[in-house]
Amino acid sequence: MRTSGWFRKNGVASLLLPNVLALAGCYTGVNGERSTAGQDAGESADDGVDDGVDDGADDDAGDDGPVGLCGDAEVGLTDLRRLTATQYDNTIRDLLGIEGNPAADFSADERVGPFKSNVAAPIGDLQAEQYMAAAEALGYDAVTDLPALLPCDPAAGEDACAEQFIAEFAPKAYRRPITATEAAALLEVYNEGKAEADFANGIRLVVQGVLQSPFFLYHVEFGTGDGADGSIVTLTEHELASRLSYFLWDTMPDDELFSAADAGELSTEAGMIEQVDRMLADPRAREAVASFHLQWLGVDEVQGVEKSPEFYPNFTPELALAMREETAAFANAVVLDGDGTLATLLTADYTFTEDPSLLAMYGATLPADHVAGDPVPLPAGQRAGLLTQASVMTKHAHANQTSPVHRGMVVRQNLLCQILAPPPPDVDNVPPSPDPEATTRERFEQHRADPSCSACHNLIDGFGFGFEHYDGTGAWRDMDGVNPVDATGWIVGTDFDGDFDGAVALAQNMAGSELVAQCVARQWFRFAFGRAESSDDECTTDALDTAFAESGQDVKALIRQLVLSDSFRFRRATPVGAESVPGEGEVR
Amino acid sequence: MSNRHRVRGTAPRKPFNPGFSRRAFLGSTAAGAMLTPFVPLLEPEARGGGVQPFPTRIIFLFSANGTLHERWVPTGGQTDFTLSQILAPLEPYKDKLVILDGMRVIRQGLGDGHQMGMACMWTGNQLLAGPFQGGDGGTAGYSGGISVDQHIANTVGVETAYKSLEFGVMTGGANNWTRMCYAGPDQPVAPEDNPQAMFDRLFADLDVDPAGMEKLKAERRSVIDLVKGDLTTLTNKYGGNDKLKIEAHLDAIRAIEMRNEAAVPVCEQPVLNLGFDPYANDNFPETSSRQIDQLVMALACDLTRVASLQWSASVSGVRFSWLGQTTGHHDLSHLGDSDPTMLDQITAVNIWYAEQVKYLLDQLAAIPEGDGTLLDHTLVVWGNELSRGNSHGNHPVPFVLAGGANGLIEMGRYLDYGDTPHNRMLVSLCHYMGLSEQQSFGDNDPASGGLDGLI
């Protein structure tokens, strides 16, 4: 079933939407949402466990729990998440100085919507062994350069140096201060390793243990209280620091962020914004901003797409990679270097690729006075922002033809956050074969003619036909076989309904849409938190919509508002003692 | 001298070198994935003295997108039947087959045909709510029940190094289209798609010298204790599904601990140097063969008695280029019944899968065990998530049993069960593996009992 395959490939999760399309039998609205019972009364006594999760920042106000931006703090259920493969690799890079791809063979990451996030399933034996194999190899690697690894010289006293190493390494790895108990346990591992062989062996075992600890592998968050009664808790400074760094850099905090957390700066708005601005200006933000846009549009794996050489002889894996990099570079240039607005992202008629094959495909050339990093103009009237980029057109097309359905779905689902049901299971939905005599529109005529198809396809094809000027690899075409391209389309169920001609016009309509803006805000929410929003996140989603609108839809304003929001600063966990109810609590 | 405060970006960057793992102990062959002809040494004497019967094994196989029943179903009677076109490759093993016709994989509740088909195939259970968009206007999550292989493994797996082993060939991401094994509700078990990674996991320790092994075990013990301590701390601080995650992680560490404390299996060291990309479409056959080789070795070495091999996933888009096909499997499967391309190519795909099953049976038959072979002591169960691709049907879903079944099942039969919930088959499989008390399996069929006349 094609669309379920599309869903499967794109991992689209059902999403809560601000608007409901009232077309029977087609639109899937909200199926129910997890809403917690009222908050429990506030101050939690220390649970007596020495686990190092109290750093003094405490926003609790009296008996009603912490106070947020809308009164009492509001946040949706925040389940435990595990590092993604990219996060693992980046964290290893920054923790140990080891480049490479140690997570290459880890089991696949889950996705929430289009965004990678390991929040649903527990791990099994296989993953535990994968972590062990990686930790063992990394341990050996790390001790080949002991001076780089250690903060001290073992010649001046091995055991003292081991203690010092543990005191500095473990807090970085666990992304929080450690307790005396934890330090002692790690020292015991060192002693056992040293007894087996030598000092280096002891250090190696410490590294191996730390890398397999749940405090390394999961984003552990308990907040300033004990969280045991299911109430909302304020996150600690270090938990905030970790959220910031994994959101903006997809890696662990750096020394400066750790220092800011130590100094209690992140619980103030000014301190938080200072870090956010510093981090956005850092090169590491480019990978995360690119990652958002690539995943959002379903093109983070476009380099693996295969095309029919008969129809697209110029398509190569190298070209596909250049397409991916183009989208990444464009997103960074607009969001981090430019005005950062949704309008520019959707309508810009320039690119930042310098790949000769891709530029040739676009029909563009580097201007004579081009300086690296300058935008490269694209042929007039042909392109508008992200949607008409080669990556998007390539991924959402077939091996041998375009796909108005896939492209229409990207607009409907990824940009409007409106989820549609897949076709009935017994439908033959293999695209009709390319026919030089008939246009795509003509070949897909059954979608409009057949009443069992038209209700939904009316919502999809109207967008998708607008992209007919871009072939299955995104190249501009004026002809579809022997016929001229007809890229007229129609829009229903939005706040910019009407007819249009061509994707450029469509993009300009979308740039002014409040629905699109709200959807973009929701997508950033999911990316930042690795979960879908619920009605308990309303304080945050309202604030995001407002901040986005008031800033002229500047993505940076969205990012800043995200880190100041209740959903960022607080956590709501399933109460200790609550039964595991598998499958429930998944936000629809 | 070290940098006490190493500034990010100026630290020496080293490339990740996995050669410092225990794999360094292994010899390597030339690239090309040649395994030494494997001579298993799992003699009864090595397993604790005395001659004991060989353990009963079970293997689960999955291929996708249904079959063409009219070209799959045998003709003839129960014991004097003729294999059809699709199963013809299994002719040499005809007297070791049981072809089950008439199986209905009941679908109710959440999910679309593919999702339910995949998740119900070995669980017989409804799906839970979850985030995977599909189905008629809703979403679905993972299975709400344990799969039969894991259920069996929970009992028989306590005797082996690995409770069970899950092999995959290009199974893809992590969702309810790509997982067929479940340790419990909402607990998918991921297969390992990379033969080299699986090899390192299973066989890397076999070649370590005894002194080295003792050191390795002691060191692992130390690390395991640390990790268990951290996980135990966390179990008391979480509730609900988060607690389940921590507990599952703790179980996994305990399984590693158990293996660490056990004696190294007595088994001849195989070799693998993969030398190709196991995630590339055109390498699908080669990857499949290497996974089958290792699955057989794992059974022969008694590393486990419950194994599965998942070819791709439901909605499989594998392009059978080595058969001259240019369209992906799923797209092909949705062409119409009157389309000769569909009939020819789907037939060819399913014949190819039957040939891989034959390859597995050949490898099992090549392992001597006592007076017989590993094949004699094994039952292979080959299933599918659909009955037919273009209808997404759930009846009759093709199930083929193969092997000697350790004498517990009369093989060489074609059994037509008309219209019977396949849950009964799952119950029978439990009985085969010694779980004689099993009455029912999966919430889709509350009735009890196995398939009449199967065992």
Side-chain angles (χ1 to χ4, degrees):
Chain A
M1 185 159 73
R2 178 165 314 286
T3 310
S4 75
W6 186 94
F7 285 120
R8 170 177 153 235
K9 279 181 254 175
N10 291 281
V12 176
S14 180
L15 309 160
L16 296 185
L17 308 166
N19 303 287
V20 175
L21 273 176
L23 284 166
C26 180
Y27 172 70
T28 67
V30 173
N31 281 338
E33 63 213 34
R34 174 79 176 258
S35 176
T36 61
Q39 303 166 38
D40 292 329
E43 296 284 340
S44 308
D46 191 296
D47 62 0
V49 175
D50 181 14
D51 61 11
V53 287
D54 180 6
D55 59 3
D58 186 351
D59 284 345
D60 290 350
D63 290 340
D64 289 337
V67 170
L69 296 179
C70 306
D72 291 336
E74 288 180 29
V75 56
L77 195 72
T78 318
D79 280 348
L80 178 64
R81 282 181 303 151
R82 193 165 43 90
L83 297 189
T84 64
T86 303
Q87 289 173 347
Y88 186 97
D89 285 345
N90 289 348
T91 306
I92 293 295
R93 174 198 67 205
D94 293 337
L95 182 64
L96 293 173
I98 296 175
E99 297 274 10
N101 195 198
D105 278 326
F106 286 0
S107 296
D109 293 323
E110 290 174 326
R111 291 187 191 247
V112 166
F115 303 111
K116 291 184 180 170
S117 177
N118 291 317
V119 69
I123 67 160
D125 286 10
L126 177 64
Q127 286 97 332
E129 291 181 47
Q130 290 169 347
Y131 288 136
M132 181 172 81
E136 291 182 353
L138 287 164
Y140 276 105
D141 234 340
V143 297
T144 58
D145 191 353
L146 271 182
L149 182 64
L150 299 172
C152 43
D153 186 351
E158 286 185 344
D159 291 355
C161 192
E163 275 194 62
Q164 194 179 341
F165 169 68
I166 288 168
E168 297 194 19
F169 179 72
K172 283 193 164 48
Y174 297 167
R175 306 179 285 272
R176 58 160 174 82
I178 64 169
T179 66
T181 312
E182 289 175 319
L186 287 167
L187 195 63
E188 191 178 325
V189 170
Y190 156 77
N191 281 324
E192 288 167 358
K194 179 174 167 179
E196 286 289 334
D198 56 18
F199 170 79
N201 203 53
I203 297 295
R204 179 177 64 81
L205 277 198
V206 169
V207 172
Q208 274 177 220
V210 163
L211 295 186
Q212 293 179 72
S213 169
F215 295 115
F216 175 75
L217 295 171
Y218 294 90
H219 296 288
V220 177
E221 295 171 336
F222 288 117
T224 56
D226 69 349
D229 58 354
S231 62
I232 293 178
V233 292
T234 309
L235 294 187
T236 66
E237 287 277 336
H238 291 92
E239 290 165 352
L240 289 173
S242 195
R243 280 203 177 189
L244 263 183
S245 68
Y246 281 101
F247 170 34
L248 298 178
W249 288 348
D250 224 5
T251 188
M252 61 180 279
D254 66 352
D255 287 345
E256 200 173 322
L257 195 50
F258 275 127
S259 298
D262 290 339
E265 290 170 15
L266 299 178
S267 51
T268 70
E269 180 171 325
M272 185 71 95
I273 292 300
E274 184 185 329
Q275 290 304 315
V276 169
D277 288 346
R278 174 182 75 89
M279 295 172 79
L280 286 178
D282 186 287
R284 276 165 287 191
R286 306 188 84 80
E287 188 188 321
V289 168
S291 177
F292 169 82
H293 290 84
L294 293 171
Q295 292 186 79
W296 173 37
L297 298 169
V299 298
D300 56 304
E301 287 167 356
V302 69
Q303 66 276 18
V305 167
E306 294 183 354
K307 295 285 177 182
S308 160
E310 181 195 337
F311 287 86
Y312 303 114
N314 297 327
F315 184 81
T316 64
E318 293 73 32
L319 183 62
L321 192 58
M323 292 177 181
R324 185 185 194 277
E325 286 168 358
E326 182 210 1
T327 298
F330 176 83
N332 283 325
V334 174
V335 172
L336 295 174
D337 305 331
D339 68 8
T341 66
L342 185 57
T344 305
L345 286 170
L346 290 178
T347 63
D349 59 356
Y350 44 84
T351 178
F352 290 89
T353 185
E354 291 173 2
D355 182 272
S357 303
L358 187 51
L359 285 171
M361 200 196 76
Y362 280 140
T365 50
L366 292 180
D369 58 349
H370 175 78
V371 171
D374 279 356
V376 179
L378 293 164
Q382 287 189 4
R383 304 280 169 175
L386 289 165
L387 289 179
T388 62
Q389 287 181 356
S391 63
V392 178
M393 293 294 94
T394 292
K395 180 64 163 60
H396 302 287
H398 298 292
N400 60 1
Q401 59 182 298
T402 64
S403 174
V405 175
H406 281 69
R407 292 162 177 190
M409 292 292 264
V410 171
V411 175
R412 198 48 85 173
Q413 300 212 146
N414 298 42
L415 274 86
L416 284 166
C417 293
Q418 294 171 347
I419 305 301
L420 303 174
D426 56 355
V427 105
D428 170 2
N429 58 358
V430 177
S433 300
D435 178 355
E437 304 283 326
T439 63
T440 306
R441 188 184 302 262
E442 288 161 352
R443 291 184 290 109
F444 280 83
E445 186 48 34
Q446 189 185 356
H447 286 179
R448 303 194 69 177
D450 187 333
S452 67
C453 307
S454 58
C456 284
H457 275 281
N458 194 37
L459 300 169
I460 304 167
D461 297 6
F463 284 131
F465 285 135
F467 293 93
E468 276 297 292
H469 274 299
Y470 313 97
D471 74 12
T473 60
W476 178 270
R477 61 177 189 175
D478 290 305
M479 302 299 287
D480 179 0
V482 304
N483 298 296
V485 163
D486 174 3
T488 57
W490 63 94
I491 306 158
V492 293
T494 73
D495 56 353
F496 54 98
D497 289 356
D499 294 342
F500 68 95
D501 187 349
V504 173
L506 171 63
Q508 277 152 5
N509 291 342
M510 292 178 67
S513 159
E514 194 187 337
L515 274 187
V516 172
Q518 286 176 352
C519 178
V520 171
R522 300 297 174 280
Q523 301 286 26
W524 273 99
F525 181 105
R526 292 157 198 160
F527 174 76
F529 298 118
R531 66 179 177 88
E533 69 282 7
S534 76
S535 61
D536 292 322
D537 294 299
E538 217 168 70
C539 176
T540 296
T541 51
D542 285 349
L544 288 176
D545 291 339
T546 303
F548 203 34
E550 286 178 356
S551 69
Q553 299 179 346
D554 179 353
V555 169
K556 289 191 286 294
L558 209 51
I559 289 172
R560 291 191 188 95
Q561 187 57 45
L562 271 166
V563 307
L564 296 177
S565 69
D566 281 14
S567 304
F568 195 91
R569 295 171 51 224
F570 304 105
R571 175 172 192 249
R572 183 199 304 273
T574 309
V576 172
E579 273 191 25
S580 160
V581 188
E584 287 191 9
E586 300 289 348
V587 178
R588 253 28 101 236
Chain B
M1 197 56 199
S2 68
N3 290 329
R4 189 174 192 283
H5 295 286
R6 183 152 32 121
V7 177
R8 304 271 171 245
T10 62
R13 301 290 194 197
K14 298 167 286 184
F16 176 59
N17 182 357
F20 281 95
S21 73
R22 63 198 183 283
R23 274 184 276 160
F25 291 119
L26 298 180
S28 60
T29 62
M34 298 304 291
L35 295 170
T36 58
F38 181 61
V39 179
L41 295 176
L42 189 58
E43 297 300 336
E45 293 76 19
R47 287 179 287 112
V51 177
Q52 299 174 22
F54 281 87
T56 307
R57 280 76 148 221
I58 190 165
I59 301 172
F60 296 86
L61 303 178
F62 163 78
S63 64
N65 295 329
T67 190
L68 300 174
H69 184 263
E70 64 276 18
R71 298 185 179 193
W72 170 91
V73 68
T75 54
Q78 266 198 28
T79 51
D80 59 342
F81 59 92
T82 306
L83 289 177
S84 59
Q85 189 178 2
I86 283 175
L87 296 181
L90 297 171
E91 181 69 35
Y93 293 97
K94 190 161 158 237
D95 62 340
K96 295 198 200 306
L97 298 178
V98 172
I99 295 142
L100 297 175
D101 199 7
M103 293 287 98
R104 174 178 293 276
V105 176
I106 294 173
R107 295 184 191 155
Q108 49 195 7
L110 302 172
D112 69 17
H114 280 285
Q115 289 173 316
M116 280 197 276
M118 191 63 171
C120 295
M121 182 172 49
W122 306 124
T123 68
N125 211 92
Q126 292 190 51
L127 275 75
L128 297 167
F132 307 116
Q133 176 68 28
D136 202 8
T139 63
Y142 292 116
S143 174
I146 192 172
S147 56
V148 68
D149 63 311
Q150 294 301 306
H151 181 65
I152 288 168
N154 283 343
T155 299
V156 313
V158 297
E159 300 181 28
T160 51
Y162 295 90
K163 189 167 75 163
S164 68
L165 286 172
E166 292 71 41
F167 295 78
V169 184
M170 290 174 220
T171 62
N175 50 55
N176 63 9
W177 290 279
T178 62
R179 296 285 177 262
M180 68 179 194
C181 299
Y182 287 87
D186 228 7
Q187 290 179 259
V189 179
E192 173 59 73
D193 281 7
N194 184 341
Q196 188 70 59
M198 184 60 109
F199 176 84
D200 292 341
R201 184 185 174 209
L202 297 180
F203 301 112
D205 288 345
L206 291 186
D207 201 34
V208 181
D209 67 283
M213 201 65 221
E214 277 316 300
K215 174 173 182 285
L216 185 59
K217 281 174 179 285
E219 290 172 349
R220 281 206 181 129
R221 202 173 290 136
S222 196
V223 168
I224 286 167
D225 283 345
L226 179 88
V227 176
K228 272 195 338 186
D230 285 349
L231 287 166
T232 304
T233 301
L234 285 180
T235 53
N236 300 321
K237 299 179 78 66
Y238 281 111
N241 291 337
D242 286 349
K243 189 176 165 85
L244 184 68
K245 288 172 190 164
I246 298 299
E247 287 176 342
H249 197 147
L250 194 47
D251 283 346
I253 298 297
R254 289 193 183 113
I256 289 177
E257 180 178 41
M258 189 208 72
R259 266 191 294 286
N260 195 48
E261 297 307 322
V264 178
V266 175
C267 209
E268 183 166 306
Q269 171 71 32
V271 186
L272 176 66
N273 192 340
L274 197 65
F276 63 84
D277 177 5
Y279 303 106
N281 180 88
D282 292 356
N283 293 335
F284 196 88
E286 196 71 34
T287 304
S288 169
S289 297
R290 297 291 78 78
Q291 294 288 54
I292 287 173
D293 291 342
Q294 295 194 87
L295 188 157
V296 170
M297 269 186 273
L299 294 180
C301 283
D302 210 25
L303 295 179
T304 192
R305 296 169 191 168
V306 179
S308 62
L309 175 62
Q310 179 183 326
W311 284 301
S312 183
S314 71
V315 197
S316 167
V318 171
R319 195 170 28 85
F320 287 75
S321 53
W322 56 95
L323 301 179
Q325 298 184 7
T326 55
T327 303
H329 185 187
H330 179 242
D331 284 357
L332 279 178
S333 74
H334 270 288
L335 297 173
D337 284 349
S338 55
D339 188 332
T341 305
M342 189 283 274
L343 296 172
D344 290 345
Q345 298 200 2
I346 290 296
T347 301
V349 163
N350 281 288
I351 287 175
W352 184 85
Y353 277 118
E355 289 168 351
Q356 307 322 301
V357 176
K358 173 180 183 293
Y359 177 77
L360 169 63
L361 300 179
D362 287 343
Q363 304 313 304
L364 292 166
I367 307 290
E369 287 196 334
D371 292 336
T373 70
L374 174 53
L375 180 63
D376 293 336
H377 308 132
T378 299
L379 185 70
V380 175
V381 185
W382 175 22
N384 199 305
E385 101 260 35
L386 300 176
S387 64
R388 194 181 190 84
N390 59 9
S391 68
H392 282 189
N394 63 333
H395 171 266
V397 175
F399 285 96
V400 177
L401 311 180
N406 221 353
L408 297 165
I409 300 176
E410 184 193 333
M411 305 303 285
R413 290 185 290 164
Y414 155 45
L415 302 175
D416 184 355
Y417 284 93
D419 192 338
T420 301
H422 90 301
N423 306 62
R424 313 290 172 83
M425 180 193 73
L426 300 178
V427 173
S428 290
L429 296 177
C430 290
H431 294 164
Y432 159 72
M433 286 299 283
L435 280 66
S436 50
E437 306 298 310
Q438 197 74 28
Q439 295 294 329
S440 65
F441 202 93
D443 68 1
N444 280 336
D445 177 34
S448 61
L451 284 176
D452 281 342
L454 179 62
I455 297 185

PDB file of all heavy atoms in Angstrom, chain B residues 14 34 125 137 151 221 236 452:
ATOM      1  N   LYS B  14      41.036  11.808  16.928  1.00  0.00           N
ATOM      2  CA  LYS B  14      41.492  10.511  16.451  1.00  0.00           C
ATOM      3  C   LYS B  14      40.355   9.821  15.720  1.00  0.00           C
ATOM      4  O   LYS B  14      39.213   9.907  16.141  1.00  0.00           O
ATOM      5  CB  LYS B  14      41.942   9.646  17.628  1.00  0.00           C
ATOM      6  CG  LYS B  14      43.107  10.236  18.399  1.00  0.00           C
ATOM      7  CD  LYS B  14      43.273   9.512  19.708  1.00  0.00           C
ATOM      8  CE  LYS B  14      42.180   9.908  20.695  1.00  0.00           C
ATOM      9  NZ  LYS B  14      42.390   9.278  22.007  1.00  0.00           N
ATOM     10  N   MET B  34      34.239 -15.292   2.850  1.00  0.00           N
ATOM     11  CA  MET B  34      34.334 -16.741   2.782  1.00  0.00           C
ATOM     12  C   MET B  34      34.393 -17.313   4.196  1.00  0.00           C
ATOM     13  O   MET B  34      35.265 -16.968   4.979  1.00  0.00           O
ATOM     14  CB  MET B  34      35.616 -17.139   2.023  1.00  0.00           C
ATOM     15  CG  MET B  34      35.628 -16.656   0.594  1.00  0.00           C
ATOM     16  SD  MET B  34      34.189 -17.240  -0.338  1.00  0.00           S
ATOM     17  CE  MET B  34      34.541 -18.976  -0.430  1.00  0.00           C
ATOM     18  N   ASN B 125      -1.858 -11.165  18.201  1.00  0.00           N
ATOM     19  CA  ASN B 125      -2.375 -10.196  19.157  1.00  0.00           C
ATOM     20  C   ASN B 125      -2.647  -8.858  18.487  1.00  0.00           C
ATOM     21  O   ASN B 125      -2.013  -8.503  17.518  1.00  0.00           O
ATOM     22  CB  ASN B 125      -1.320  -9.986  20.250  1.00  0.00           C
ATOM     23  CG  ASN B 125      -1.931  -9.664  21.583  1.00  0.00           C
ATOM     24  OD1 ASN B 125      -2.190 -10.539  22.393  1.00  0.00           O
ATOM     25  ND2 ASN B 125      -2.175  -8.384  21.825  1.00  0.00           N
ATOM     26  N   GLY B 137      -7.791   5.689   9.326  1.00  0.00           N
ATOM     27  CA  GLY B 137      -8.104   6.890  10.089  1.00  0.00           C
ATOM     28  C   GLY B 137      -7.467   6.943  11.458  1.00  0.00           C
ATOM     29  O   GLY B 137      -7.848   7.737  12.283  1.00  0.00           O
ATOM     30  N   HIS B 151       8.281 -16.127  23.525  1.00  0.00           N
ATOM     31  CA  HIS B 151       7.604 -16.890  24.575  1.00  0.00           C
ATOM     32  C   HIS B 151       8.290 -18.243  24.760  1.00  0.00           C
ATOM     33  O   HIS B 151       8.568 -18.676  25.882  1.00  0.00           O
ATOM     34  CB  HIS B 151       6.134 -17.071  24.207  1.00  0.00           C
ATOM     35  CG  HIS B 151       5.343 -17.826  25.226  1.00  0.00           C
ATOM     36  ND1 HIS B 151       5.124 -17.350  26.505  1.00  0.00           N
ATOM     37  CD2 HIS B 151       4.704 -19.021  25.153  1.00  0.00           C
ATOM     38  CE1 HIS B 151       4.390 -18.229  27.170  1.00  0.00           C
ATOM     39  NE2 HIS B 151       4.122 -19.247  26.386  1.00  0.00           N
ATOM     40  N   ARG B 221      32.845  -8.236  34.285  1.00  0.00           N
ATOM     41  CA  ARG B 221      32.103  -8.389  35.527  1.00  0.00           C
ATOM     42  C   ARG B 221      32.071  -7.054  36.275  1.00  0.00           C
ATOM     43  O   ARG B 221      31.057  -6.618  36.797  1.00  0.00           O
ATOM     44  CB  ARG B 221      32.784  -9.456  36.377  1.00  0.00           C
ATOM     45  CG  ARG B 221      31.909 -10.114  37.417  1.00  0.00           C
ATOM     46  CD  ARG B 221      32.662 -11.270  38.059  1.00  0.00           C
ATOM     47  NE  ARG B 221      32.840 -12.391  37.135  1.00  0.00           N
ATOM     48  CZ  ARG B 221      33.983 -13.072  36.986  1.00  0.00           C
ATOM     49  NH1 ARG B 221      35.056 -12.762  37.663  1.00  0.00           N
ATOM     50  NH2 ARG B 221      34.037 -14.077  36.123  1.00  0.00           N
ATOM     51  N   ASN B 236      13.945   2.682  40.708  1.00  0.00           N
ATOM     52  CA  ASN B 236      13.121   3.197  41.807  1.00  0.00           C
ATOM     53  C   ASN B 236      12.674   4.631  41.599  1.00  0.00           C
ATOM     54  O   ASN B 236      11.944   5.186  42.406  1.00  0.00           O
ATOM     55  CB  ASN B 236      13.901   3.102  43.118  1.00  0.00           C
ATOM     56  CG  ASN B 236      14.284   1.673  43.428  1.00  0.00           C
ATOM     57  OD1 ASN B 236      13.504   0.750  43.199  1.00  0.00           O
ATOM     58  ND2 ASN B 236      15.493   1.478  43.926  1.00  0.00           N
ATOM     59  N   ASP B 452      -5.358 -29.174  14.926  1.00  0.00           N
ATOM     60  CA  ASP B 452      -5.703 -30.602  14.985  1.00  0.00           C
ATOM     61  C   ASP B 452      -4.816 -31.412  14.065  1.00  0.00           C
ATOM     62  O   ASP B 452      -4.665 -31.085  12.884  1.00  0.00           O
ATOM     63  CB  ASP B 452      -7.161 -30.804  14.535  1.00  0.00           C
ATOM     64  CG  ASP B 452      -8.129 -30.451  15.641  1.00  0.00           C
ATOM     65  OD1 ASP B 452      -7.681 -30.398  16.809  1.00  0.00           O
ATOM     66  OD2 ASP B 452      -9.301 -30.215  15.326  1.00  0.00           O
TER      67      ASP B 452
END
